[in-house]
Amino acid sequence: MKTVFNNSECVHTFAQRTQQTGRTSNNNIFFEGDKIYSYGYHYELGRFLDDETILINNKGYSNCTAKHITLLIGATSQYKQYYRTKTDIGIVYRDIMYLKKKLSKARKPEIYISQIYSLWNSFNEYINERNQKQIRKYKEYKEMLLFVDSLQEETSIEDLRQWAKEEARKKKDKEKKQLTKSLAKFREYKKDYFRIGGKDYLRLSKCAQFVETSQGVKIDVNEAKRYLKLLKSGAMMRGQKIGNYTTISFDKLLRIGCHNISKEQINYISNLI
């Protein structure tokens, strides 16, 4: 009995269910019983739920795995197919919450509403057909149900926009508190790295020989003095070097490599050195 195949043959042999094992020559795809894998046991590509139904893991991690998914979808088209992105409550919840945020800002809300209903209906179809009714007890399911039901209300979009504003405010307040704590620890040398809100912060090293950033970069203090003198002179900063890093721009923020440094931070470190 042949057990080594090319990719297409391996997937189709699995789909025919005529033998228990098979693999490709490089083990990129292999199957054992009702399960087939892509690049190892860590990625279950699909599994038969019964003689007429297959669950396909269509959440690919690479272009190659995406090709394997496409092969499996085609080779098992004669069966009832379910997809992980429409049956896994964690993924469904994440995607519906993502669409909820998009809907709160949408100029054409009907586009996102349609996607939400489509995903929700597919998820519930799986629950009903596979007798997975216990999922309805999960808090994520109950939250999604309340949200989807709310879309029937005439004021739903306006309510959603108000919700988005409130969520944004809460996020901003949370980040502000986290920043205050992290910056204090950074300046007290209890923390060497943090990044909150896309900005970076500066301190003088304990030995006073380096300027250190909250992304863990160190610049010799004499090099920092030279650069700051140039910065204060009003010179064109784009392309200017500091250590191994190149200045991208200096407007509201000083952008150097992956760093975004405020004028407040520049003044802070200038006073220290």
Side-chain angles (χ1 to χ4, degrees):
M1 179 178 64
K2 183 177 179 180
T3 57
V4 180
F5 311 92
N6 62 34
N7 285 3
S8 181
E9 290 172 341
C10 188
V11 172
H12 278 84
T13 302
F14 168 73
Q16 293 302 308
R17 311 193 75 192
T18 55
Q19 61 189 67
Q20 285 296 301
T21 61
R23 64 179 179 85
T24 59
S25 59
N26 55 9
N27 280 318
N28 284 352
I29 305 175
F30 62 93
F31 66 87
E32 297 175 357
D34 290 334
K35 300 177 182 179
I36 187 167
Y37 303 89
S38 174
Y39 292 103
Y41 290 108
H42 67 282
Y43 190 90
E44 184 181 296
L45 189 61
R47 68 166 67 190
F48 279 100
L49 301 178
D50 55 44
D51 291 340
E52 299 178 349
T53 314
I54 187 169
L55 175 62
I56 298 171
N57 184 1
N58 63 326
K59 186 168 177 55
Y61 293 104
S62 67
N63 289 334
C64 291
T65 297
K67 292 177 182 178
H68 296 171
I69 293 167
T70 299
L71 282 174
L72 184 61
I73 291 172
T76 59
S77 59
Q78 68 271 37
Y79 301 102
K80 170 69 177 179
Q81 295 173 322
Y82 289 114
Y83 299 96
R84 186 182 171 211
T85 55
K86 294 185 178 181
T87 59
D88 184 303
I89 189 167
I91 296 174
V92 172
Y93 176 80
R94 183 205 64 195
D95 289 348
I96 284 186
M97 291 303 105
Y98 169 78
L99 290 169
K100 180 180 180 180
K101 290 181 180 178
K102 298 291 284 187
L103 178 59
S104 69
K105 302 175 184 178
R107 292 184 178 180
K108 296 182 178 180
E110 62 275 5
I111 296 174
Y112 296 104
I113 290 174
S114 176
Q115 292 178 36
I116 291 165
Y117 279 141
S118 176
L119 181 54
W120 182 244
N121 290 337
S122 294
F123 183 50
N124 280 281
E125 177 186 339
Y126 170 76
I127 290 172
N128 293 330
E129 292 184 357
R130 300 305 304 176
N131 195 27
Q132 299 291 316
K133 296 179 181 179
Q134 74 278 3
I135 291 176
R136 294 196 177 101
K137 297 179 181 179
Y138 295 3
K139 65 178 183 179
E140 293 88 350
Y141 184 90
K142 293 177 180 178
E143 184 178 343
M144 288 188 289
L145 177 61
L146 286 173
F147 166 59
V148 174
D149 282 350
S150 74
L151 296 178
Q152 303 292 329
E153 302 294 332
E154 291 184 6
T155 60
S156 62
I157 301 302
E158 184 56 36
D159 290 343
L160 196 55
R161 285 175 179 149
Q162 291 300 319
W163 166 84
K165 289 179 181 179
E166 181 63 17
E167 287 297 302
R169 185 192 64 77
K170 288 179 181 178
K171 182 180 178 181
K172 188 175 180 180
D173 289 346
K174 184 178 179 180
E175 285 186 350
K176 188 175 180 180
K177 291 178 182 178
Q178 289 176 334
L179 176 58
T180 300
K181 291 180 180 179
S182 294
L183 184 56
K185 288 182 178 180
F186 177 67
R187 296 272 168 77
E188 293 166 2
Y189 306 101
K190 295 177 181 178
K191 190 174 206 173
D192 294 326
Y193 180 96
F194 75 94
R195 200 146 202 259
I196 299 171
K199 292 182 182 179
D200 302 288
Y201 298 84
L202 306 174
R203 73 182 180 191
L204 190 62
S205 65
K206 278 186 176 182
C207 63
Q209 293 180 3
F210 301 96
V211 170
E212 299 175 334
T213 79
S214 54
Q215 287 201 63
V217 171
K218 293 184 177 182
I219 299 293
D220 181 86
V221 72
N222 291 319
E223 172 67 357
K225 287 179 179 178
R226 179 199 65 79
Y227 185 84
L228 286 170
K229 184 177 180 180
L230 185 65
L231 190 68
K232 291 180 179 180
S233 73
M236 177 66 70
M237 296 306 297
R238 182 179 176 84
Q240 295 289 344
K241 294 279 190 177
I242 177 169
N244 297 320
Y245 302 89
T246 303
T247 306
I248 299 171
S249 65
F250 180 44
D251 187 8
K252 292 181 179 179
L253 293 171
L254 176 61
R255 297 178 60 214
I256 306 174
C258 61
H259 287 72
N260 299 312
I261 302 169
S262 70
K263 293 178 181 179
E264 180 185 14
Q265 290 300 301
I266 294 168
N267 292 332
Y268 171 81
I269 203 67
S270 294
N271 291 332
L272 290 178
I273 64 174

